[in-house]
Amino acid sequence: MKYWLLKSEPDTFGIDALAASPGRKTHWDGVRNYQARNMMRDEMKRGDLAFFYHSSCAEPAVTGIVTVVREGYPDQSAFDSRSKYFDADSDPAAPRWFMVDVRLVRKFAHPVTLTTLRRHAEGKLKDMWLLRRGNRLSITPVTAAHWKFINSLAGN
DNA sequence: GCCAACGTTGGC
DNA sequence: GCCAACGTTGGC
């Protein structure tokens, strides 16, 4: 089983929106980056766990945990001309973009802020992908050691 | 709102 | 295949 970190902007779709969704599930659609696409299409497996991370907001933080409930399949929003994720170049016969479905496992009582994570950037969280300079990837792998440590920071 | 970092595009 | 221009991300 692997661990991941998924970024989402709380103004668009935060952890409370996920909690309010039917079955506390959602399609992780709209990813338009090939590296992230490859991870969803090829590597994310049912049962994998991922941190739900709030980005581009007042207090960037890991806010909870989700689990993969459906493995990679074509992202339908790429074919929907009304969607902001529409991609005219994506051929339905050979879909370019993929998504997974995730379900909320737990919302942290105390989010682990980016500031807190950075405090450990040279220690327990050394080489964490999220903390790398200039990192913009919306989906990143998380090591088992980092996973455990961040959970401990959250009081889990 | 600014700006550094990065991925993608497209001319050559 | 190179690389400049451009658009986007995301922290601050």
PDB file of all heavy atoms in Angstrom, chain A residues 34 133-134 136, chain B residues 5-8:
ATOM      1  N   TYR A  34       0.944  15.892 -16.451  1.00  0.00           N
ATOM      2  CA  TYR A  34       1.226  14.516 -16.858  1.00  0.00           C
ATOM      3  C   TYR A  34       1.814  13.658 -15.744  1.00  0.00           C
ATOM      4  O   TYR A  34       1.498  12.478 -15.628  1.00  0.00           O
ATOM      5  CB  TYR A  34       2.138  14.502 -18.086  1.00  0.00           C
ATOM      6  CG  TYR A  34       1.422  14.966 -19.328  1.00  0.00           C
ATOM      7  CD1 TYR A  34       1.637  16.232 -19.863  1.00  0.00           C
ATOM      8  CD2 TYR A  34       0.494  14.133 -19.950  1.00  0.00           C
ATOM      9  CE1 TYR A  34       0.961  16.659 -20.993  1.00  0.00           C
ATOM     10  CE2 TYR A  34      -0.188  14.545 -21.084  1.00  0.00           C
ATOM     11  CZ  TYR A  34       0.047  15.806 -21.603  1.00  0.00           C
ATOM     12  OH  TYR A  34      -0.628  16.221 -22.717  1.00  0.00           O
ATOM     13  N   ARG A 133      11.697  22.955  -2.823  1.00  0.00           N
ATOM     14  CA  ARG A 133      11.594  24.289  -3.396  1.00  0.00           C
ATOM     15  C   ARG A 133      10.875  24.235  -4.738  1.00  0.00           C
ATOM     16  O   ARG A 133      11.223  23.431  -5.595  1.00  0.00           O
ATOM     17  CB  ARG A 133      12.990  24.843  -3.601  1.00  0.00           C
ATOM     18  CG  ARG A 133      13.149  26.284  -3.252  1.00  0.00           C
ATOM     19  CD  ARG A 133      14.626  26.603  -3.182  1.00  0.00           C
ATOM     20  NE  ARG A 133      15.160  26.818  -4.521  1.00  0.00           N
ATOM     21  CZ  ARG A 133      15.228  28.018  -5.086  1.00  0.00           C
ATOM     22  NH1 ARG A 133      14.803  29.082  -4.433  1.00  0.00           N
ATOM     23  NH2 ARG A 133      15.739  28.171  -6.279  1.00  0.00           N
ATOM     24  N   GLY A 134       9.920  25.119  -4.902  1.00  0.00           N
ATOM     25  CA  GLY A 134       9.261  25.243  -6.185  1.00  0.00           C
ATOM     26  C   GLY A 134       8.329  24.099  -6.548  1.00  0.00           C
ATOM     27  O   GLY A 134       7.861  24.028  -7.673  1.00  0.00           O
ATOM     28  N   ARG A 136       5.215  22.156  -7.292  1.00  0.00           N
ATOM     29  CA  ARG A 136       3.837  22.563  -7.615  1.00  0.00           C
ATOM     30  C   ARG A 136       2.969  21.375  -7.932  1.00  0.00           C
ATOM     31  O   ARG A 136       1.795  21.541  -8.235  1.00  0.00           O
ATOM     32  CB  ARG A 136       3.829  23.498  -8.836  1.00  0.00           C
ATOM     33  CG  ARG A 136       4.657  24.746  -8.678  1.00  0.00           C
ATOM     34  CD  ARG A 136       4.489  25.630  -9.865  1.00  0.00           C
ATOM     35  NE  ARG A 136       4.393  24.842 -11.091  1.00  0.00           N
ATOM     36  CZ  ARG A 136       4.279  25.358 -12.290  1.00  0.00           C
ATOM     37  NH1 ARG A 136       4.257  26.650 -12.447  1.00  0.00           N
ATOM     38  NH2 ARG A 136       4.182  24.589 -13.337  1.00  0.00           N
TER      39      ARG A 136
ATOM     40  P    DA B   5      13.389  30.781  -7.595  1.00  0.00           P
ATOM     41  OP1  DA B   5      14.177  30.198  -6.499  1.00  0.00           O
ATOM     42  OP2  DA B   5      14.017  31.426  -8.762  1.00  0.00           O
ATOM     43  O5'  DA B   5      12.409  29.668  -8.149  1.00  0.00           O
ATOM     44  C5'  DA B   5      11.622  28.931  -7.228  1.00  0.00           C
ATOM     45  C4'  DA B   5      10.723  28.013  -8.008  1.00  0.00           C
ATOM     46  O4'  DA B   5       9.726  28.800  -8.696  1.00  0.00           O
ATOM     47  C3'  DA B   5      11.451  27.192  -9.079  1.00  0.00           C
ATOM     48  O3'  DA B   5      11.167  25.828  -8.827  1.00  0.00           O
ATOM     49  C2'  DA B   5      10.862  27.692 -10.403  1.00  0.00           C
ATOM     50  C1'  DA B   5       9.516  28.252  -9.982  1.00  0.00           C
ATOM     51  N9   DA B   5       8.996  29.346 -10.811  1.00  0.00           N
ATOM     52  C8   DA B   5       9.665  30.436 -11.265  1.00  0.00           C
ATOM     53  N7   DA B   5       8.930  31.261 -11.980  1.00  0.00           N
ATOM     54  C5   DA B   5       7.685  30.652 -11.988  1.00  0.00           C
ATOM     55  C6   DA B   5       6.455  31.016 -12.577  1.00  0.00           C
ATOM     56  N6   DA B   5       6.270  32.134 -13.286  1.00  0.00           N
ATOM     57  N1   DA B   5       5.405  30.190 -12.394  1.00  0.00           N
ATOM     58  C2   DA B   5       5.584  29.073 -11.666  1.00  0.00           C
ATOM     59  N3   DA B   5       6.682  28.624 -11.075  1.00  0.00           N
ATOM     60  C4   DA B   5       7.716  29.471 -11.273  1.00  0.00           C
ATOM     61  P    DC B   6      11.948  24.698  -9.550  1.00  0.00           P
ATOM     62  OP1  DC B   6      12.048  23.617  -8.558  1.00  0.00           O
ATOM     63  OP2  DC B   6      13.126  25.247 -10.223  1.00  0.00           O
ATOM     64  O5'  DC B   6      10.913  24.233 -10.658  1.00  0.00           O
ATOM     65  C5'  DC B   6       9.614  23.821 -10.235  1.00  0.00           C
ATOM     66  C4'  DC B   6       8.668  23.909 -11.391  1.00  0.00           C
ATOM     67  O4'  DC B   6       8.511  25.272 -11.806  1.00  0.00           O
ATOM     68  C3'  DC B   6       9.141  23.169 -12.636  1.00  0.00           C
ATOM     69  O3'  DC B   6       8.369  21.981 -12.753  1.00  0.00           O
ATOM     70  C2'  DC B   6       8.876  24.142 -13.787  1.00  0.00           C
ATOM     71  C1'  DC B   6       8.043  25.228 -13.128  1.00  0.00           C
ATOM     72  N1   DC B   6       8.200  26.565 -13.744  1.00  0.00           N
ATOM     73  C2   DC B   6       7.075  27.176 -14.287  1.00  0.00           C
ATOM     74  O2   DC B   6       5.991  26.586 -14.242  1.00  0.00           O
ATOM     75  N3   DC B   6       7.207  28.401 -14.862  1.00  0.00           N
ATOM     76  C4   DC B   6       8.396  28.999 -14.890  1.00  0.00           C
ATOM     77  N4   DC B   6       8.469  30.204 -15.462  1.00  0.00           N
ATOM     78  C5   DC B   6       9.551  28.399 -14.339  1.00  0.00           C
ATOM     79  C6   DC B   6       9.415  27.184 -13.781  1.00  0.00           C
ATOM     80  P    DG B   7       8.667  20.901 -13.885  1.00  0.00           P
ATOM     81  OP1  DG B   7       8.520  19.579 -13.248  1.00  0.00           O
ATOM     82  OP2  DG B   7       9.903  21.253 -14.613  1.00  0.00           O
ATOM     83  O5'  DG B   7       7.437  21.147 -14.845  1.00  0.00           O
ATOM     84  C5'  DG B   7       6.113  21.114 -14.319  1.00  0.00           C
ATOM     85  C4'  DG B   7       5.125  21.359 -15.435  1.00  0.00           C
ATOM     86  O4'  DG B   7       5.191  22.746 -15.849  1.00  0.00           O
ATOM     87  C3'  DG B   7       5.380  20.532 -16.692  1.00  0.00           C
ATOM     88  O3'  DG B   7       4.117  20.143 -17.218  1.00  0.00           O
ATOM     89  C2'  DG B   7       6.125  21.497 -17.610  1.00  0.00           C
ATOM     90  C1'  DG B   7       5.544  22.842 -17.207  1.00  0.00           C
ATOM     91  N9   DG B   7       6.485  23.962 -17.313  1.00  0.00           N
ATOM     92  C8   DG B   7       7.783  23.992 -16.870  1.00  0.00           C
ATOM     93  N7   DG B   7       8.380  25.138 -17.082  1.00  0.00           N
ATOM     94  C5   DG B   7       7.406  25.908 -17.708  1.00  0.00           C
ATOM     95  C6   DG B   7       7.464  27.237 -18.180  1.00  0.00           C
ATOM     96  O6   DG B   7       8.406  28.030 -18.143  1.00  0.00           O
ATOM     97  N1   DG B   7       6.257  27.639 -18.757  1.00  0.00           N
ATOM     98  C2   DG B   7       5.146  26.841 -18.852  1.00  0.00           C
ATOM     99  N2   DG B   7       4.073  27.381 -19.433  1.00  0.00           N
ATOM    100  N3   DG B   7       5.070  25.592 -18.404  1.00  0.00           N
ATOM    101  C4   DG B   7       6.237  25.194 -17.848  1.00  0.00           C
ATOM    102  P    DT B   8       3.997  19.352 -18.596  1.00  0.00           P
ATOM    103  OP1  DT B   8       2.813  18.493 -18.478  1.00  0.00           O
ATOM    104  OP2  DT B   8       5.310  18.766 -18.942  1.00  0.00           O
ATOM    105  O5'  DT B   8       3.681  20.496 -19.641  1.00  0.00           O
ATOM    106  C5'  DT B   8       2.538  21.318 -19.428  1.00  0.00           C
ATOM    107  C4'  DT B   8       2.393  22.284 -20.580  1.00  0.00           C
ATOM    108  O4'  DT B   8       3.442  23.273 -20.518  1.00  0.00           O
ATOM    109  C3'  DT B   8       2.489  21.643 -21.964  1.00  0.00           C
ATOM    110  O3'  DT B   8       1.368  22.099 -22.695  1.00  0.00           O
ATOM    111  C2'  DT B   8       3.825  22.135 -22.519  1.00  0.00           C
ATOM    112  C1'  DT B   8       3.991  23.472 -21.811  1.00  0.00           C
ATOM    113  N1   DT B   8       5.371  23.957 -21.580  1.00  0.00           N
ATOM    114  C2   DT B   8       5.681  25.252 -21.932  1.00  0.00           C
ATOM    115  O2   DT B   8       4.880  26.011 -22.449  1.00  0.00           O
ATOM    116  N3   DT B   8       6.963  25.636 -21.635  1.00  0.00           N
ATOM    117  C4   DT B   8       7.950  24.879 -21.050  1.00  0.00           C
ATOM    118  O4   DT B   8       9.062  25.340 -20.842  1.00  0.00           O
ATOM    119  C5   DT B   8       7.569  23.520 -20.719  1.00  0.00           C
ATOM    120  C7   DT B   8       8.562  22.616 -20.082  1.00  0.00           C
ATOM    121  C6   DT B   8       6.309  23.135 -20.990  1.00  0.00           C
TER     122       DT B   8
END
